Amino acid sequence: MTGVHSGTGGSAMTSIMDHTKLIFLLLETVVAATAAGGGQWALLQRSIGVSAMHMQLLHNDRVVVFDRTDFGPSNLSLPVGKCRNDPDEKALRVDCTAHSVEYDVAANTFRPLMLLTDAWCSSGTVAPDGTLVQTGGFNDGERASRTFRPCDDCRCNWVEVPQALAVRRWYATNQILPDGRAIVVGGRRQFNYEFYPKSPDASDLRTIALPFLRDTRDAVENNLYPFVHLNIDGNLFVFANNRAILLDYTKNTVVKTYPKMPGGEPRNYPSTGSSVLLPLKPSPKEAEVLICGGAPMGSYVQALQSRGFVRALDTCGRIKITEAAASWSMETMPVPRVMGDMVLLPSGEVLMINGAAAGTAGWELARDPVLTPVVYRPERPAGARFDIQSPSTTPRLYHSTAVLLRDGRVLVGGSNPNVNYNFSGVEFPTELSLEAFSPAYLSPAHSARRPRIVTSPSPLRLSYGKRFSLQFTAGAVGDEGVRVTMVAPSFATHSFSMNQRLLVLETEAAAKAADSGTYQVMAMAPASAILAPSGYYMVFVVNGGVPSESNWAHIQ
């Protein structure tokens, strides 16, 4: 990040004392997590050759991973004879290494993909037909679109259009809309939005002004990668810096202005907190957004200019965005966290993972990696919602990611807090590994309750507002019955999972035994594309908080 003009600092002694206190706090947290934490870690790949700056799970159980083309050579070669030849490239004009891979979850293997334009700090969605649609970036990629249509024969690859967007989009956010298009919001020095794909005659190759983005920009921006969520009324909740609006994008009208989050601290890049739309209940009448972590005002400048690493924020704000007089409810996390990822789990909980306890996003501007995930349980009373989990041993700082997999694990990768691929000689080297975090619901202690869906085929074909049945096996079904949840796979980058969405579906009061050891549950598909935009979702059966491996489902 460049263009810093002003900021505040502190004395060196104060910074050292605060830093030391923070180290002791984190050590205490790690000890507590080891003693009482849940979940398990597993190393999947020591190196995939590419740092996972961006990740997207597709409906063939492959994860597309990519970083940027101007790092220099990666640690993974392209197939023999393939090279990227770009006279406009700022690092390596002839590059025979890959900057994207396709990771096969079931086989635990990966293959290189050919990425031509620079996708550094870009954004994405998945189209209704399951195609990954990826937009923007840097240099020759700033107006590009890239599509990846999943296939099973290992021959699919990126298809790129260098001038597909109206303006350059760097650090923008994408959100899938009920009509199947994506809205592309903001980006560096872009106080507007546009839609993708464009009409065949390119009549909509234009931008629509959004003054809110200009109003929320400060000296170091702090409004990039705005948090965007599709509300249940069809409007968009847009959060930037420390405040939010509800936007009717069809009329370019601000429907509602929400109060500033208490404390007034920034939560978007480079202060980089994270945000989720909390699980939507059956036939939802309300929607809530949770925003956690970030860095206090001035953190970026202090880290950049004096190497003072300010303690990250340890607060979360929760708000019912559907209320007429919506207000923030603040909560305190067990540990401070900047650059953390929040992942919706099929059980309805929120996993907080990755990040640092001091500093900010940017090159070498963070310290004190937070190795302990935290599970947030929205249905618990305030003050009892956070549970610390078992720690990892791998720092995941700037440019790390996490996505939910169909079997309930969370795939974790990335961390490149350096200007280039630096594997030695720096405090936090570039990280090329992939890990899986298995939440506590996957532990052997819950195996008897873990359902197994036996309904076929997959993907299920769902229609809005129509009932469908799922057959599953389980050792026992509790008196409370089972729940069915639908999760949209998200595009993860820079601590925000775009298009992340979990719906709890309406079901019968209890699962019914179809035959010995087999149960059946009837569920109602979401009523409209406003609640669940057309596309592929993971459908889970959840028995007493323990989810099955999901079936893919396509709704339209």
Side-chain angles (χ1 to χ4, degrees), residues 218-542:
D218 59 28
V220 294
E221 297 179 292
N222 275 326
N223 68 345
L224 300 179
Y225 280 124
F227 303 144
V228 180
H229 301 289
L230 177 63
N231 193 13
I232 60 174
D233 62 2
N235 295 314
L236 296 177
F237 176 87
V238 182
F239 184 99
N241 199 315
N242 53 23
R243 48 199 184 275
I245 59 171
L246 191 63
L247 174 69
D248 182 343
Y249 62 89
T250 66
K251 300 176 181 177
N252 191 32
T253 302
V254 175
V255 177
K256 182 183 299 183
T257 298
Y258 295 94
K260 183 181 292 187
M261 186 181 287
E265 301 288 9
R267 306 282 178 161
N268 296 85
Y269 184 90
S271 290
T272 308
S274 191
S275 175
V276 292
L277 178 72
L278 290 176
L280 297 175
K281 297 178 181 179
S283 303
K285 299 296 189 293
E286 62 182 29
E288 290 186 87
V289 167
L290 179 71
I291 297 174
C292 292
M297 186 70 69
S299 297
Y300 180 82
V301 173
Q302 187 160 330
L304 186 70
Q305 295 182 351
S306 64
R307 312 309 289 173
F309 302 99
V310 179
R311 183 180 190 268
L313 298 173
D314 63 0
T315 54
C316 296
R318 181 167 167 174
I319 187 170
K320 290 185 179 180
I321 64 174
T322 44
E323 285 190 347
S327 61
W328 293 96
S329 175
M330 302 303 292
E331 301 178 75
T332 301
M333 299 186 291
V335 292
R337 196 183 300 260
V338 61
M339 297 181 293
D341 290 275
M342 293 206 293
V343 180
L344 291 171
L345 300 177
S347 54
E349 300 155 334
V350 182
L351 177 69
M352 302 174 181
I353 200 166
N354 300 332
T360 181
W363 304 124
E364 301 176 358
L365 299 182
R367 295 293 185 273
D368 304 323
V370 180
L371 301 175
T372 52
V374 171
V375 168
Y376 177 85
R377 308 184 194 278
E379 299 301 319
R380 285 187 181 178
R385 291 173 175 154
F386 296 96
D387 285 336
I388 293 175
Q389 305 296 291
S390 302
S392 171
T393 58
T394 305
R396 301 285 183 182
L397 301 175
Y398 190 40
H399 291 155
S400 58
T401 46
V403 296
L404 177 69
L405 299 177
R406 189 167 62 87
D407 59 13
R409 294 178 300 163
V410 175
L411 182 67
V412 180
S415 189
N416 193 337
N418 311 289
V419 175
N420 298 304
Y421 284 114
N422 292 334
F423 302 104
S424 62
V426 291
E427 186 166 358
F428 300 109
T430 299
E431 185 58 59
L432 303 180
S433 67
L434 287 181
E435 294 178 284
F437 177 73
S438 295
Y441 55 57
L442 292 176
S443 71
H446 298 304
S447 59
R449 283 191 295 165
R450 184 166 169 81
R452 184 174 71 87
I453 298 175
V454 295
T455 300
S456 61
S458 182
L460 302 167
R461 302 293 176 182
L462 306 183
S463 298
Y464 290 112
K466 302 296 184 181
R467 303 186 78 80
F468 66 97
S469 66
L470 288 171
Q471 288 190 337
F472 64 95
T473 59
V477 172
D479 293 338
E480 73 277 16
V482 299
R483 295 195 301 170
V484 176
T485 59
M486 268 179 64
V487 184
S490 55
F491 180 88
T493 190
H494 287 75
S495 302
F496 183 51
S497 293
M498 302 174 194
N499 311 292
Q500 187 170 211
R501 200 172 191 83
L502 187 152
L503 301 101
V504 180
L505 303 186
E506 179 184 333
T507 59
E508 292 182 347
K512 300 176 181 178
D515 54 46
S516 179
T518 303
Y519 298 84
Q520 178 173 283
V521 60
M522 295 294 297
M524 178 78 75
S528 72
I530 291 175
L531 294 180
S534 178
Y536 287 89
Y537 291 76
M538 294 176 279
V539 174
F540 296 85
V541 173
V542 183

Side-chain angles (χ1 to χ4, degrees), residues 43-97:
L43 178 66
L44 302 177
Q45 289 288 344
R46 193 167 301 280
S47 172
I48 59 171
V50 171
S51 187
M53 184 187 298
H54 313 78
M55 285 203 297
Q56 173 73 60
L57 172 67
L58 299 176
H59 67 275
N60 61 350
D61 291 324
R62 313 283 176 85
V63 179
V64 177
V65 179
F66 56 100
D67 54 16
R68 54 187 285 190
T69 61
D70 60 346
F71 270 170
S74 74
N75 275 20
L76 179 66
S77 296
L78 288 165
V80 175
K82 296 282 188 182
C83 291
R84 177 176 176 271
N85 193 331
D86 185 353
D88 297 323
E89 180 55 76
K90 296 181 179 296
L92 190 63
R93 293 184 177 180
V94 179
D95 187 355
C96 301
T97 62

Side-chain angles (χ1 to χ4, degrees), residues 54 66-69 115 117-122 134 136-137 146:
H54 313 78
F66 56 100
D67 54 16
R68 54 187 285 190
T69 61
L115 192 64
T117 57
D118 194 353
W120 178 22
C121 300
S122 51
Q134 211 275 316
R146 306 167 196 88

